[in-house]
Amino acid sequence: MTSTPARDLVARSNKLGSDPRVTNYGGGNTSAKGLAADPVTGEDVELLWVKGSGGDLGTLTEAGLGVLNLARIEALKATYPGVEREDEMVAALDYCRHGLGGAAPSIDTFMHAFVDAAHVDHLHPDSGIAFATAKDGEKLTKKAFGDKVVWVPWRRPGFQLGLDIAAIKKQNPHAIGCILGGHGITAWGRTSAEAQKNSLWIITTAEDYLAAKGKKAPFGREVAKNKALPPAERRAKAAALAATIRGIASHDKPMVGHFTDAPAVLEFLSSANAPKLAALGTSCPDHFLRTKVKPMLVDLPADAPIEKIKQRLEKLHEAYRADYTAYYEKYAGSGSPAMRGADPLIVLVPGVGMFSYGANKQTARVAGEFYLNAINVMRGAESISTYTPISDAEKFAIEYWALEEAKLQRMPKPKSHATRIALVTGAASGIGKAIATRLAADGACVVVADLDLATAQEAAAEIGGPDVAIGLQVNVTDAAAIDTMVQDAVLAFGGLDIVVNNAGVSLSKPLLETTEKDWDFQHDIMAKGSFLVAKATAPVLIEQKMGGDVIYIASKNSVFAGPNNIAYSATKADQAHQVRLLAVELGEHGIKVNGINPDGVVRGSGIFAAGWGANRAKTYGIAEDKLGEFYAQRTILKREVLPENVANAVSVLTGPDLSHTTGLHIPVDAGVAAAFLR
């Protein structure tokens, strides 16, 4: 493929963005300058290709580049009204775009345009930010890099910072880049390869300096009572706390969670200086925009009892909200956006790990990754100096920046089930898979639980991968296995909002041929299994204080006396009454419990494929491949019921439009008069 500035830029960006030492997800931006023909005049015009706002270097494509006319950006210098009004210049970029202009240009576009180099990289490596946040960062930059890298004092990203860096490059012809105080690094080069080489040289030189000159215990002494618990105990404790912490993080608006017990997190939490450093907050704008200015740190030892930690969490939450509200009120002006919520996005528990939160799983996971970056930054800065982030006033100016608010307002409207976490049993095939697929399409995170782990994981991968769906193994007749499933589910996504009791089997036999084993087999999986799943998940729903939904996939047979079907129909009737009983019992916690009564779901059904279809076809005296058609013809609507029809009902029952409905059974049977509820 022919080399072009845009293609070379994408290739360089992907290489840089795929290395976590270089930058974090969505962080940093890169650019290239070059000539291209103007489609109107046919003459060559100098263009700037730059990573668009909100993009990620590691996954960047040409479609994610902003394309601008460089001469028009340069012309903006003549109309620049000064630093007090520099934000006004961002709107002018729309008039500098080349043609349709590609992706929306970011605030850093001016830096890339004004620096006199064909290729520019602005990155957020932990090692570089360690220098940027060191108390004597300017002096250390000179020591570590000589005259090849220049210190730039903190300035909020924008037009003036672009002018500053351009001037510094001009004044320092030997420099290959700079350290941006409180922020990150910028490097440049005549070619794409040279820019990449220079970026990596700054990063590795910073890493080498920290390794050679940094003190061995930058976080201070280890605090024995805060040391990491053994892995199994650690995960069990995290799972026991997950619902409480998610409820805290979701006080103002629902959040999805992520948990990590990475060694660097546990090391930080076991150190003497963790409370002091955590209170200072993060510094790089990319960090605190996703983590809030500071985390909430539990001030109890690792072996503190669960109930004591929960009680303390409630008190710490009150204090955190008061502190954040005071921060907002201190710095907010008449034109500031409204406060976006006072709950923590990062919660740290010594000996256990870090809980992070966001509007979806990816955002929650990335928030945790960014705070891990912040820990690495603090480690580096403390090892050679004193960690000194930008001031709270500057943090507020960026967190509640009008440009940031406009960016948030441009985001698409959340889907109906955004922030909701669903657990579906028997979800690797048939009705269960259709339900899991529909809920994920509606914006939910989904736990695909099934007896067969491999098919559960395959279904989850097909639905959307680990930020959308995970596959877990469970035998719903085994209470211990269910507890393990719930633990894994809440550690994956932070909690639960929707529980769908779908796992089922069936044997079609008349009374005299139905054995005690047949009876127990079906009742254990469906009646007992539903009870065990409800019992194990209800504490999570209750503890979160966020309400929730429990759905039972019962059957038309729960009210219809079909032939040769004693065990199956009786257990479905059991499930149907569990709906009514739990609706009454869980209602005080805002938890809705509803049921769905399908009939004759033949296509895609694991139950029908496992022998139930053959037995029912024999009962009715028809060929098995005609069973779906037979069921359709006996209905009022003469329509075959598909798994997706059941999934649609689950979506409606758990969505926003039926917020006041509980204890209901919805027939999804195309109309069977004998099964009408009365």
Side-chain angles (χ1 to χ4, degrees), residues 418-471:
T419 73
R420 305 206 77 195
I421 302 160
L423 166 67
V424 186
T425 64
S429 63
I431 292 174
K433 185 177 180 182
I435 293 169
T437 302
R438 174 58 191 267
L439 292 176
D442 288 339
C445 296
V446 181
V447 178
V448 177
D450 202 273
L451 186 61
D452 187 315
L453 177 60
T455 56
Q457 292 176 332
E458 288 170 9
E462 183 181 327
I463 289 168
D467 282 343
V468 175
I470 61 166

Side-chain angles (χ1 to χ4, degrees), residues 284-607:
C284 176
D286 260 24
H287 293 182
F288 63 75
L289 282 174
R290 291 167 171 83
T291 66
K292 268 200 167 70
V293 289
K294 63 184 69 173
M296 189 172 95
L297 173 65
V298 173
D299 53 357
L300 291 175
D303 63 354
I306 295 291
E307 288 306 315
K308 186 175 181 180
I309 297 176
K310 288 182 178 181
Q311 292 170 9
R312 185 59 183 151
L313 280 165
E314 297 294 341
K315 295 294 185 183
L316 290 171
H317 184 216
E318 291 177 14
Y320 187 96
R321 287 181 61 82
D323 181 65
Y324 187 85
T325 301
Y327 155 79
Y328 176 85
E329 291 175 347
K330 180 176 181 179
Y331 298 111
S334 57
S336 296
M339 189 168 68
R340 300 190 192 105
D343 301 321
L345 294 178
I346 303 292
V347 179
L348 304 170
V349 184
V352 177
M354 172 172 61
F355 298 83
S356 55
Y357 296 90
N360 52 53
K361 172 63 178 183
Q362 183 194 53
T363 306
R365 174 176 55 78
V366 169
E369 292 171 0
F370 273 74
Y371 197 77
L372 182 55
N373 290 132
I375 289 173
N376 292 334
V377 166
M378 289 185 276
R379 177 189 291 106
E382 286 286 301
S383 74
I384 55 173
S385 179
T386 301
Y387 174 64
T388 310
I390 61 175
S391 68
D392 281 356
E394 289 295 329
K395 290 177 186 177
F396 183 89
I398 288 181
E399 186 179 2
Y400 286 93
W401 201 357
L403 297 177
E404 180 65 23
E405 180 68 14
K407 182 177 175 181
L408 293 173
Q409 294 301 322
R410 289 195 301 268
M411 294 181 70
K413 182 180 178 181
K415 295 182 179 180
S416 62
H417 288 61
T419 73
R420 305 206 77 195
I421 302 160
L423 166 67
V424 186
T425 64
S429 63
I431 292 174
K433 185 177 180 182
I435 293 169
T437 302
R438 174 58 191 267
L439 292 176
D442 288 339
C445 296
V446 181
V447 178
V448 177
D450 202 273
L451 186 61
D452 187 315
L453 177 60
T455 56
Q457 292 176 332
E458 288 170 9
E462 183 181 327
I463 289 168
D467 282 343
V468 175
I470 61 166
L472 296 179
Q473 184 175 35
V474 68
N475 179 346
V476 296
T477 70
D478 183 341
I482 293 170
D483 287 343
T484 298
M485 172 192 67
V486 173
Q487 174 177 302
D488 291 342
V490 299
L491 289 180
F493 293 123
L496 291 171
D497 300 295
I498 300 169
V499 178
V500 183
N501 274 312
N502 170 73
V505 294
S506 186
L507 299 173
S508 174
K509 295 182 181 181
L511 172 64
L512 298 182
E513 294 177 16
T514 301
T515 66
E516 184 179 349
K517 183 178 179 181
D518 294 336
W519 179 274
D520 289 342
F521 177 63
Q522 294 183 84
H523 277 72
D524 282 351
I525 292 173
M526 291 183 285
K528 177 184 173 183
S530 297
F531 155 72
L532 291 176
V533 170
K535 184 178 180 182
T537 55
V540 176
L541 300 175
I542 293 169
E543 181 66 21
Q544 290 174 154
K545 301 176 183 176
M546 298 167 64
D549 286 275
V550 179
I551 300 291
Y552 278 66
I553 307 302
S555 169
K556 169 216 60 173
N557 289 300
S558 66
V559 294
F560 173 71
N564 301 336
N565 209 11
I566 178 66
Y568 179 81
S569 294
T571 195
K572 285 299 181 182
D574 185 316
Q575 285 186 304
H577 200 48
Q578 286 186 38
V579 168
R580 303 180 185 98
L581 294 166
L582 295 186
V584 172
E585 185 171 341
L586 299 178
E588 66 177 287
H589 304 291
I591 300 167
K592 303 187 289 115
V593 187
N594 292 291
I596 296 172
N597 291 346
D599 178 43
V601 182
V602 178
R603 275 194 266 173
S605 169
I607 288 179

